[in-house]
Amino acid sequence: IKKMSLPIQRDAQPTEAETAVWNQVSAVLEEAHGILAELQSYNGAGQEIREAIQNPGDLALQEKAWNAVCPLVAKLKRFYEFSLRLENALRSLLEALTSPPYAPMQHLEREQALAKQFAEILHFTLSFDELKMTNPAIQNDFSYYRRTISRNRLNNQQLEAENEVNNEMANRMSLFYAEATPMLKTLSNATTKFVSENKTLPIEDTTDCLSTMACVCRVMLETPEYRCRFTNTDTMLFCMRVMVGVIILYDHVHPVGAFAKTSKIDMKGCIKVLKEQPSNSVEGLLNALRYTTRHLNDDSTSKQIRALLQ
């Protein structure tokens, strides 16, 4: 592990062999910053929607609410479409980081730039979902949009915005935003699909890659000599989000999950590290472990681990 503190170095440069995948993922990660900024400043059309609902006969208020909601729905569509690009990027990284003949540990040491990108994707994913979880306006705006469209369909009115988000797209978006943590769900599904489609690849190659990254993050967070290198709280948060992200992916992909005694992830150690941080910075991460893992409530999960997450 001493050597393995390297892959989460945030300035690792790609080797020639990594360049094609690195470039593809880089383009996606560049867009990720803008997506987070947009989500952070997403205020919703709550006021306009309330007024329109309270005064159903006032056409001016109906129009005002509709005009407020449409650009927001266009944003939500952009976020959803970005999740599909993120899924493809994750797939490419999984292929690169699990391909024979190297073991996961060797991959992470050889392809540090890709390991770093994998970490960046998880960091983005958990940041996005934390913001989404605390913003009820997103689902309210989208529900209002859908109700208005179906009402107008009954009255045979075609709305311009419908060309932007047709019924099929609206259904897919609806499923996406109904999730507590939509981006994480997208990545979990993508990882599970990757494993089931690559029958010749031992499942351990994928899960070992994930457990190794979880271990690296835990060691970096709990070892004073690494901790003192973290120049700011952002680096701490980065490390914690990546750790939680890989635990959740591991739990979705591994047949018995991350919480069983046979798991290669030291769950007690990981939860302890999180609990030592100020609660306002880790509550969202602890909730992600409580509500988006698959195996926490299995009989094989020790009472001690469950109690830690109470």
Side-chain angles (χ1 to χ4, degrees):
I1 289 292
K2 283 272 187 285
K3 257 170 92 188
M4 276 301 299
S5 67
L6 296 169
I8 316 268
Q9 279 189 349
R10 297 181 77 169
D11 51 0
Q13 290 306 305
T15 60
E16 208 174 320
E18 297 169 87
T19 308
V21 172
W22 192 85
N23 286 340
Q24 178 210 342
V25 179
S26 260
V28 173
L29 284 170
E30 261 166 49
E31 205 181 328
H33 300 298
I35 296 274
L36 275 186
E38 274 191 68
L39 180 56
Q40 213 144 12
S41 61
Y42 188 104
N43 292 322
Q47 181 70 28
E48 293 89 339
I49 290 172
R50 261 192 309 281
E51 287 175 359
I53 290 171
Q54 282 160 5
N55 304 282
D58 188 328
L59 287 177
L61 286 177
Q62 306 307 311
E63 197 164 325
K64 190 180 169 196
W66 179 249
N67 290 337
V69 161
C70 283
L72 293 170
V73 168
K75 250 183 205 185
L76 294 179
K77 181 188 179 198
R78 219 167 27 253
F79 299 163
Y80 167 71
E81 287 175 335
F82 180 73
S83 77
L84 306 177
R85 284 200 286 289
L86 196 70
E87 191 180 341
N88 287 333
L90 179 84
R91 232 198 129 72
S92 302
L93 285 174
L94 283 173
E95 275 165 14
L97 291 171
T98 57
S99 59
Y102 303 107
M105 184 69 115
Q106 292 171 304
H107 269 300
L108 292 176
E109 284 174 351
R110 289 168 59 90
E111 286 125 20
Q112 290 184 16
L114 296 187
K116 176 206 150 201
Q117 284 187 323
F118 191 76
E120 299 263 0
I121 282 183
L122 289 165
H123 179 250
F124 161 80
T125 298
L126 277 105
S127 307
F128 181 97
D129 286 347
E130 276 172 35
L131 287 169
K132 185 264 173 188
M133 263 176 154
T134 52
N135 194 339
I138 290 175
Q139 277 182 281
N140 295 343
D141 294 346
F142 196 60
S143 305
Y144 178 79
Y145 174 84
R146 296 205 75 183
R147 284 199 308 275
T148 308
I149 276 191
S150 45
R151 196 170 58 237
N152 287 330
R153 247 195 226 111
L154 289 175
N155 305 335
N156 283 328
Q157 286 173 299
Q158 176 80 12
L159 292 166
E160 245 170 71
E162 246 189 293
N163 308 329
E164 178 85 16
V165 176
N166 62 24
N167 204 30
E168 189 201 344
M169 173 60 88
N171 287 337
R172 291 209 303 264
M173 284 170 65
S174 209
L175 289 171
F176 178 75
Y177 287 110
E179 293 291 341
T181 51
M183 286 287 174
L184 204 48
K185 183 78 173 134
T186 302
L187 293 195
S188 301
N189 290 347
T191 311
T192 308
K193 195 171 161 205
F194 171 79
V195 167
S196 66
E197 282 174 2
N198 289 275
K199 298 264 189 286
T200 54
L201 184 75
I203 192 165
E204 288 74 27
D205 285 16
T206 304
T207 52
D208 286 359
C209 171
L210 298 170
S211 59
T212 304
M213 285 183 80
C215 186
V216 171
C217 291
R218 179 180 54 74
V219 169
M220 286 174 81
L221 287 163
E222 68 186 11
T223 313
E225 61 174 291
Y226 291 136
R227 279 278 288 276
C228 66
R229 292 186 209 164
F230 291 170
T231 44
N232 56 23
T233 48
D234 281 0
T235 315
M236 287 281 289
L237 248 181
F238 177 81
C239 232
M240 291 191 291
R241 285 192 179 122
V242 173
M243 182 178 79
V244 169
V246 285
I247 288 171
I248 291 166
L249 293 186
Y250 182 100
D251 193 57
H252 275 258
V253 172
H254 197 282
V256 295
F259 298 95
K261 282 192 178 66
T262 52
S263 160
K264 287 192 180 170
I265 295 178
D266 170 8
M267 283 306 301
K268 260 183 231 143
C270 291
I271 297 166
K272 273 201 183 100
V273 162
L274 289 174
K275 292 217 143 171
E276 282 162 12
Q277 313 309 320
S279 65
N280 59 344
S281 63
V282 294
E283 200 44 42
L285 296 175
L286 290 167
N287 280 339
L289 288 177
R290 287 175 191 127
Y291 306 122
T292 60
T293 45
R294 280 175 65 179
H295 295 280
L296 175 61
N297 296 316
D298 288 5
D299 296 339
S300 55
T301 302
S302 77
K303 286 192 177 73
Q304 217 178 347
I305 287 180
R306 261 187 233 160
L308 273 175
L309 276 176
Q310 285 306 310

